[in-house]
Amino acid sequence: MNIRVVVVDDDPASARAVGRLLEEAGCRVQICTDPVAAIPAALDTGVDVVSLDIKMPRLDGFEVLSLIRSHEHSRRAPSVPVVAVTGSVST
């Protein structure tokens, strides 16, 4: 498997945990703990999927996704698949 995944999570331990799981599945992983820096990483044409944390400081996952989609639209580029991830637990 040669799937390239960008893991976006402001918590380095969580990002590494998700990254390790994906690497064990055979994926190539790039970890971004800064949501602003994750945008150009996600727009790289070699990226197959983005794992995106929803709750982050500065920019939350929804804002990051909106910026990614906006850039894709302006470039007329195909949309990269995004998997939304959260560690939030509701009772």
Side-chain angles (χ1 to χ4, degrees):
M1 185 182 314
N2 203 13
I3 296 173
R4 186 165 165 222
V5 182
V6 175
V7 175
V8 184
D9 196 318
D10 63 303
D11 178 31
S14 294
R16 285 191 306 271
V18 171
R20 277 193 302 271
L21 288 171
L22 291 166
E23 287 171 345
E24 287 176 13
C27 298
R28 291 180 298 137
V29 175
Q30 177 181 353
I31 293 175
C32 291
T33 56
D34 177 5
V36 175
I39 296 165
L43 293 170
D44 186 326
T45 57
V47 172
D48 297 300
V49 67
V50 175
S51 170
L52 180 59
D53 183 21
I54 296 300
K55 293 202 171 198
M56 295 184 289
R58 292 178 48 195
L59 290 175
D60 68 24
F62 297 110
E63 293 167 315
V64 172
L65 179 56
S66 179
L67 289 167
I68 290 169
R69 293 295 186 242
S70 176
H71 285 286
E72 289 169 337
H73 180 73
S74 67
R75 294 178 181 178
R76 297 179 189 225
S79 296
V80 64
V82 175
V83 177
V85 178
T86 184
S88 294
V89 179
S90 60
T91 56

